[in-house]
Amino acid sequence: DIQMTQSPSSVSAFVGDRVTITCRASQGIGSWLAWYQQKPGKAPKLLISAASNLQSGVPSRFSGSGSGTEFTLTISSLQPEDFATYYCQQANTFPPWTFGQGTKVEIK
Amino acid sequence: EVQLLDSGGGLVQPGGSLRLSCDASGFTFSGYGMSWVRQVPGKRLEWVSTISGRGDTTHYADSVKGRFTISRDNSKKTLFLQMSSLRVEDTAVYYCAKVAPGGVSDYWGQGTLVTVSS
């Protein structure tokens, strides 16, 4: 199975800060990478597919990049509603689809 | 508007069984694969099982293979997960999710909690 590792596990930031989260795959996955946002007690929400394809309705302050084994999710100017946990998921090799351990974005 | 409504969770003893349901609306249900994904609170998401739109192809995580069965009723737009021989480590919130092209889950149910405990 492909292992997905995110860093950092948590990050504290101010509103307005730029935040970058990294996701690394244990083997190359092309651009088959998705990012999800999950708020406490809620279901995950798809933000980005195919490494950089922003889903409809997702604010443009979110962006994704990368290919192969290293990917990033960037929030250009953190807003109060962005405080959540973010997960990456590889969609290259199935089964199984696998997820990162999550990165919690907290208020500083 | 796409909506997925999970139900069927609860408290069950180890070795017991439970059936989860997911009622779908707002899209052509039979045209899409559907998955179950689970999450122990505070832990990462874990893919459990996926079924094709027609229901003729299924896949399972090794951790549930032989114990869980995914199925669907396209006439009722409902997805199921029959869980048997439940273990304490199956305790989690279970989400149904719609599979989009590219292997991502673009819509999720609200989740239903399964607790396996004596």
Side-chain angles (χ1 to χ4, degrees):
Chain A
D1 298 356
I2 296 177
Q3 308 303 313
M4 306 300 292
T5 304
Q6 292 180 230
S7 60
S9 296
S10 65
V11 57
S12 295
F14 292 106
V15 171
D17 282 353
R18 181 183 183 90
V19 173
T20 298
I21 299 168
T22 298
C23 178
R24 290 184 173 86
S26 60
Q27 63 189 73
I29 59 171
S31 296
W32 298 97
L33 192 283
W35 290 98
Y36 300 87
Q37 177 192 66
Q38 187 179 34
K39 296 182 179 180
K42 300 296 186 182
K45 173 187 175 183
L46 178 64
L47 298 178
I48 288 171
S49 62
S52 60
N53 183 29
L54 201 66
Q55 296 303 290
S56 175
V58 175
S60 59
R61 62 181 178 272
F62 291 93
S63 64
S65 65
S67 66
T69 61
E70 188 159 332
F71 302 84
T72 59
L73 172 69
T74 299
I75 309 172
S76 60
S77 177
L78 198 64
Q79 298 302 301
E81 60 268 31
D82 301 337
F83 293 95
T85 299
Y86 294 84
Y87 294 94
C88 61
Q89 176 225 326
Q90 68 82 18
N92 179 72
T93 300
F94 174 77
W97 289 317
T98 48
F99 294 84
Q101 82 278 18
T103 295
K104 187 174 184 179
V105 177
E106 299 174 298
I107 300 173
K108 195 168 187 177
Chain B
E1 179 191 6
V2 173
Q3 289 193 341
L4 299 172
L5 185 61
D6 306 313
S7 62
L11 175 64
V12 61
Q13 292 189 337
S17 299
L18 208 58
R19 188 175 86 154
L20 306 184
S21 299
C22 172
D23 293 314
S25 62
F27 65 104
T28 305
F29 184 67
S30 61
Y32 293 90
M34 296 291 295
S35 291
W36 289 98
V37 178
R38 68 185 181 183
Q39 184 178 37
V40 175
K43 301 298 184 183
R44 76 175 72 197
L45 297 158
E46 179 189 12
W47 170 79
V48 173
S49 182
T50 296
I51 187 169
S52 63
R54 292 185 301 182
D56 54 353
T57 302
T58 58
H59 297 283
Y60 298 93
D62 287 344
S63 57
V64 307
K65 201 171 293 183
R67 301 187 299 120
F68 289 11
T69 302
I70 191 171
S71 62
R72 63 192 298 160
D73 184 337
N74 284 345
S75 67
K76 295 183 178 179
K77 299 183 181 181
T78 303
L79 175 72
F80 301 101
L81 185 68
Q82 178 67 48
M83 303 185 295
S84 303
S85 302
L86 282 161
R87 304 168 180 168
V88 171
E89 55 265 34
D90 294 319
T91 295
V93 176
Y94 285 72
Y95 296 99
C96 67
K98 172 179 168 288
V99 180
V104 300
S105 299
D106 58 351
Y107 291 94
W108 298 64
Q110 84 286 0
T112 187
L113 176 62
V114 172
T115 303
V116 184
S117 175
S118 55

